[in-house]
Amino acid sequence: MDAATDPTGAVATGIVATGLRRSFGRVEAVRDVSLRARAGAVTGLVGPNGSGKTTLFLMLASLLTPDAGTIRIGDVDPIEQPHAARALLGWMPDSLGTWGALSARETLIVTGRLHDLPKDAARARADELLELVELTSLATAPARVLSRGQKQRLGLARALVHDPRVLLLDEPASGLDPAARVELRHLLRRFAAEGRTVLVSSHVLAELEEVID
Ligand SMILES: Nc1ncnc2c1ncn2[C@@H]1O[C@H](COP(=O)(O)OP(=O)(O)OP(=O)(O)O)[C@@H](O)[C@H]1O
Ligand SMILES: [Mg+2]
C-alpha cells in the first residue's frame, strides 16, 4: 500500500481487504467484506455474535483461506505468503489456547523462539511483556490455570512477542475487568502512536467508541 513512513521511520504497513467471502457449508460467515485499516490508527470492527468477525480475522491472519477476495498486509498477500504475513502481524485469538503444562512465561518464550528470537532475547522479551500486561506475579503458573481475563492478557502479550507492525486483536476486552479495560485502551492508543496498524473487534460498540479512530 502507501509507502509513507510512520513515526518510527518504518514503512507504514496497513491492511487492505476487498471482496472477502468465506462459507462453511451453507453458512455464509463472511459475505463480500472490504475493509481498510491504516498504520498509526486504531480501527474497530463491530458486529453481533456470529456476524463473521473471527472468520474475517482468521483470513487476515493467514490462518484461513478465503473463498474469494484479496488481502494485503502492507504489500504482503497472506494467502500466497503466509510466513511473511505472520512475521508482520500479531494475532490475538478470541480465546487463548494454552499449551499443556507451559507456564505463562514459557508460553511467551516458546512463541519468541517460534519467531526466531535467540534464547536470551526470547527470555528478556517474555519478562518485558509479562510486566506490560501485569502478569509478572503469575509468570510461573501454568497458563491453563489462569483466569479468563489473565488469559486474555497473556494472549495480548503473545501477539506482541515479535514486535509486529500490525495487530489483529479479536475481542481483546472480553473478560477484562474495568481497570484492565482502561489499561487496554491506553495500550492500543500507544501502539497506534508508534505507527502500528491496530484492528480490533468487539460485539459492543460502546467498548470501542473511546479508543478507535
Ligand atoms: N469452522 C466453522 N465451521 C462451521 N461454521 C463456522 C465455522 N466458523 C464459523 N462458523 C460460522 O460462521 C458464522 C460466523 O462465525 P464467527 O465466529 O466468524 O462470528 P463472530 O462475529 O466472531 O462471533 P462472536 O461475536 O460470537 O465471536 C457463524 O454462523 C458460525 O457458526
Ligand atoms: Mg468471534
Side-chain angles (χ1 to χ4, degrees):
M1 35 165 323
D2 42 318
T5 55
D6 68 27
T8 66
V11 174
T13 307
I15 302 171
V16 182
T18 51
L20 286 181
R21 290 179 178 274
R22 172 72 200 214
S23 295
F24 298 100
R26 294 165 65 165
V27 178
E28 286 185 287
V30 170
R31 192 188 304 150
D32 195 18
V33 169
S34 297
L35 88 108
R36 183 178 282 263
R38 66 179 173 82
V42 180
T43 303
L45 181 69
V46 182
N49 294 143
S51 57
K53 302 180 299 295
T54 294
T55 304
L56 179 61
F57 272 54
L58 290 172
M59 293 191 284
L60 298 177
S62 84
L63 299 167
L64 182 70
T65 308
D67 295 331
T70 61
I71 305 168
R72 291 292 178 279
I73 312 286
D75 51 16
V76 171
D77 176 348
I79 303 162
E80 299 293 331
Q81 304 154 273
H83 286 285
R86 287 172 205 180
L88 279 178
L89 59 86
W91 168 67
M92 176 181 173
D94 54 352
S95 65
L96 180 75
T98 51
W99 290 320
L102 289 196
S103 69
R105 183 166 185 261
E106 286 161 345
T107 299
L108 297 177
I109 294 172
V110 168
T111 305
R113 298 289 285 151
L114 291 172
H115 281 292
D116 294 329
L117 288 186
K119 226 176 238 171
D120 288 346
R123 288 199 192 112
R125 184 69 177 148
D127 290 337
E128 187 185 332
L129 288 170
L130 288 167
E131 197 75 40
L132 181 78
V133 300
E134 296 179 25
L135 283 179
T136 303
S137 62
L138 290 164
T140 58
R144 70 187 144 74
V145 309
L146 297 182
S147 76
R148 177 160 158 66
Q150 289 161 350
K151 274 192 188 135
Q152 283 294 92
R153 288 189 266 146
L154 182 60
L156 176 63
R158 203 183 61 172
L160 294 170
V161 161
H162 56 305
D163 196 19
R165 302 305 302 155
V166 176
L167 287 167
L168 301 174
L169 311 177
D170 196 358
E171 309 248 8
S174 144
L176 295 186
D177 63 43
R181 272 166 207 246
V182 171
E183 185 53 32
L184 176 70
R185 284 207 289 271
H186 289 154
L187 276 179
L188 298 186
R189 292 307 328 161
R190 194 174 104 196
F191 297 148
E194 289 165 353
R196 294 177 216 272
T197 302
V198 184
L199 181 61
V200 53
S201 75
S202 176
H203 55 275
V204 188
L205 178 59
E207 204 172 78
L208 289 179
E209 267 172 342
E210 284 182 49
V211 72
I212 52 172
D213 293 292

